Amino acid sequence: MPDLKPVLSQEEIETTVSDLAQQISHDYKDREVILVGVLKGAFVFLADLIRHLTIPVKIDFIRLASYGCNTSSCGTVCLTKEIEIDIGGKDVLVVEDIVDTGLSIKFLIEHLKTLKVRSVRVCALIDKHERRQSDIAVDYVGRVIEKGFLVGYGLDYAEGYRHLPAVYDLQF
Ligand code: IMP
Ligand code: MG
């Protein structure tokens, strides 16, 4: 079994999520925002984030897959589950667990633009710079983490570890 090196504790996650929710609640006050969680990884983060918001929101999910990859995206991203709410003309905030190469988010932003959204921004719990390959900007960043392969709090390795309440670096 690989070792797990602690990266973010439950307390650090709680503070980070609450701070993000405060900024989002402030910025989207008096606007109708639709949060789009990226499955599967973002489901834990999204569930906590919405309970700290002080504005009404609607929630939907989208699912992306990147193919032929092991522990990072490698260029071929595709949509495996579409959004179900009509988001045309709406302000959309994409909620991601982690942005690594940025290829998934880049693909998703382009896709949402074809659905004629009014605006699209990105909120990620973790912004990992190690392998960034696209010039996308993450609008709401929880924590910047330089490198490593992270698991827990929704993040998986081969579908395992998602249930852990904190974030760890998986030491292969
Ligand atoms: P990107 O397209 O390389 O930015 O990666 C996006 C997706 O890859 C994320 O939404 C995660 O699902 C997965 N991913 C990237 N880095 C990690 C990691 O360190 N741990 C677990 N999943 C990761
Ligand atoms: Mg993901």
Side-chain angles (χ1 to χ4, degrees), residues 73 96-104 128 148-150 155-156:
S73 295
E96 252 290 28
D97 47 5
I98 186 166
V99 176
D100 184 16
T101 63
L103 295 172
S104 305
K128 194 169 72 175
F149 191 80
L150 309 177
L155 291 162
D156 77 304

Side-chain angles (χ1 to χ4, degrees), residues 1-4 161 170-172:
M1 286 291 276
D3 277 344
L4 295 173
Y161 306 98
L170 194 67
Q171 312 275 293
F172 292 99

Side-chain angles (χ1 to χ4, degrees), residues 10-30:
Q10 276 180 266
E11 292 71 27
E12 286 169 318
I13 294 172
E14 164 83 21
T15 310
T16 303
V17 172
S18 155
D19 289 349
L20 285 170
Q22 212 178 326
Q23 287 176 51
I24 293 165
S25 300
H26 172 268
D27 294 355
Y28 286 93
K29 197 166 180 292
D30 306 321

Side-chain angles (χ1 to χ4, degrees), residues 4-17 41 43-45 48 51 125-126 150-156 160-169:
L4 295 173
K5 182 175 141 222
V7 171
L8 293 177
S9 68
Q10 276 180 266
E11 292 71 27
E12 286 169 318
I13 294 172
E14 164 83 21
T15 310
T16 303
V17 172
F43 80 106
V44 180
F45 173 42
D48 283 345
R51 285 176 288 175
L125 178 68
I126 296 168
L150 309 177
V151 294
Y153 198 71
L155 291 162
D156 77 304
Y161 306 98
R162 292 194 200 274
H163 64 291
L164 299 176
V167 174
Y168 299 87
D169 189 338

Side-chain angles (χ1 to χ4, degrees), residues 104-147:
S104 305
I105 278 296
K106 187 169 191 230
F107 172 92
L108 184 50
I109 290 172
E110 293 307 316
H111 175 67
L112 293 173
K113 285 183 178 165
T114 68
L115 299 177
K116 309 261 186 286
V117 294
R118 179 162 176 256
S119 71
V120 54
R121 287 187 188 160
V122 178
C123 171
L125 178 68
I126 296 168
D127 191 355
K128 194 169 72 175
H129 289 163
E130 191 182 5
R131 285 187 285 251
R132 189 61 45 90
Q133 286 179 39
S134 86
D135 53 2
I136 57 108
V138 181
D139 304 278
Y140 300 94
V141 177
R143 293 291 185 114
V144 175
I145 291 177
E146 283 310 317
K147 56 184 179 184

